[in-house]
Every structure is written in C-alpha cells, then in structure tokens.
Amino acid sequence: MGEDTKTKVKESQEEGRQEMWRSIEIVGSVEKWALTVVVGDELNFIPPLNFAMVDNGVFRSGFPHSANFSFLQTLNLRSIIYLCPEPYPEANTEFLKSNEIRLFQFGIEGYKEPFVNIPDDTIREALNVVLDVRNHPVLIHCNRGKHRTGCVVGCLRKLQRWCLSSVFDEYQRFAAAKARVSDQRFMELFDVSSVPISFSCSNK
C-alpha cells in the first residue's frame, strides 16, 4: 500500500471518529436547554417535551417517556415533582426505583378556561419541595410542561424577584398558543410571603 493510500485511509478513519463525537451537541441557558447525543447508531439521549433548565439543580419538562430515560440519567436526579392526579406509569416508577429518585406527586387537575380555581396550597407545597436543596437535582413536570408546570415555575420566579413581564414572557414561551389568562392571573396574585426561601435564587 502506497504512502498516499495509507494517508487517505488514516484521514478517513479520523473523520469517522470525529463524526461519531461531533454528534454531541449542547445548547443551554436558564431559559432554554436542549441536549441531543448520538454515538454511532447505538445510543440516543432525547430530552422530554419542553425540557429546560430553570435554575441550578432545577429542571422542567413535559411527561418523560421511556425514550427519555437515558437522557434523564445524565441529570443525576434526586427527585421528580409530578403535577398530575393520574397514577405514575409502572415503567416510570421502575425507572425511579432503579435510579433512587424520589417521587413527589401533587395531583392538580388539568383545568381549562374559563374561570378555574388553581389550588394555591398545592402550588405552595410543590414550591417547598423545589426550594429544598436536599431534593436537587429536581425535575418538575406535568403532561405537556406548559400550564401546571408553568404556574409552579412562574411562582418560583416571583420568589426570585423577577418582574411580572419576565415571568409572563417565560410562561408564554412554553405555553405558546395555549397560554391561559387564568394561569397568568394566578401567578400575579400568588402570595410569596408565606413560602420560605431556602436556596440561592437567580434574579431577573
């Protein structure tokens, strides 16, 4: 085999290795975080719908499915806050057990407008779990990661002293065309004075 041929083979092998690792792509911020990893054809790290980083050790998303489990393992979660009243699926429960993740369930009904009553006490209880750093890293999720999750995160933002326009802007980015006036009204009126702040929050 000539030197030119050997060089081409070596370059081809190197390109193949680079292509394998080039598939790791991370885009991250407090407001949006997407992660996709493909190594060859064997492993896919797929985040749940509407996944994002909220703050250090706090994440949000829609309902995780089995295709998302490998991705969730990369977060080293200690806790999951589930905001729906339906029982957690068996596959998800087994995933939590095998990874020693604690489940906190707060059964908030999937209300639709108009004139709904969002349970103030339940949101406050969920926030107490979020604020306890012993539960971090923690993932907050409902079905779509829009309304119930958006209300919890919006109230957390008020604790972080975000202005309402920023709170609403974040909520609307996830809810999009499904944004609800009642959710925003709830966040606006939510009394943060009765919620203890026990971790360092980011301000905006």
Side-chain angles (χ1 to χ4, degrees):
M1 185 181 293
E3 287 301 318
D4 289 345
T5 303
K6 288 180 180 178
T7 301
K8 289 180 180 178
V9 170
K10 191 173 290 186
E11 288 176 352
S12 177
Q13 290 173 340
E14 183 61 29
E15 287 176 2
R17 282 193 291 270
Q18 289 176 356
E19 186 62 35
M20 178 182 293
W21 298 109
R22 195 180 298 135
S23 59
I24 300 178
E25 181 180 339
I26 302 176
V27 179
S29 72
V30 169
E31 293 160 348
K32 287 283 185 182
W33 180 349
L35 172 58
T36 303
V37 180
V38 181
V39 180
D41 293 324
E42 297 180 359
L43 186 61
N44 291 284
F45 291 149
I46 304 170
L49 177 72
N50 274 332
F51 177 83
M53 182 179 181
V54 176
D55 208 313
N56 294 329
V58 182
F59 305 93
R60 64 177 291 168
S61 76
F63 203 100
H65 298 287
S66 57
N68 311 128
F69 290 169
S70 293
F71 172 81
L72 293 182
Q73 285 178 316
T74 68
L75 304 178
N76 297 314
L77 295 174
R78 286 185 183 174
S79 310
I80 283 181
I81 296 175
Y82 174 46
L83 300 173
C84 304
E86 296 80 14
Y88 220 46
E90 184 176 349
N92 293 62
T93 301
E94 288 302 316
F95 171 77
L96 299 190
K97 287 180 181 177
S98 63
N99 290 275
E100 298 182 346
I101 300 171
R102 185 176 179 185
L103 177 67
F104 294 89
Q105 182 171 2
F106 300 96
I108 302 173
E109 294 290 341
Y111 296 113
K112 295 185 178 180
E113 293 211 84
F115 311 121
V116 299
N117 292 315
I118 300 169
D120 188 278
D121 289 345
T122 305
I123 297 293
R124 186 172 288 104
E125 289 173 12
L127 282 173
N128 285 333
V129 175
V130 175
L131 293 169
D132 189 341
V133 294
R134 293 172 296 181
N135 298 320
H136 294 183
V138 59
L139 173 68
I140 309 164
H141 81 82
C142 51
N143 279 336
R144 308 292 292 179
K146 295 181 178 181
H147 304 116
R148 286 167 280 196
T149 299
C151 284
V152 171
V153 172
C155 292
L156 174 64
R157 297 309 192 193
K158 287 190 67 177
L159 282 167
Q160 294 174 308
R161 302 182 186 278
W162 281 31
C163 65
L164 276 177
S165 61
S166 293
V167 173
F168 293 163
D169 180 64
E170 181 181 43
Y171 167 82
Q172 289 163 2
R173 280 201 304 276
F174 287 92
K178 300 290 186 180
R180 296 174 180 168
V181 173
S182 58
D183 287 347
Q184 294 173 84
R185 182 68 171 164
F186 173 81
M187 290 182 278
E188 180 181 2
L189 297 177
F190 184 78
D191 180 12
V192 298
S193 63
S194 61
V195 180
I197 301 178
S198 57
F199 85 60
S200 178
C201 297
S202 301
N203 294 326
K204 186 170 182 178

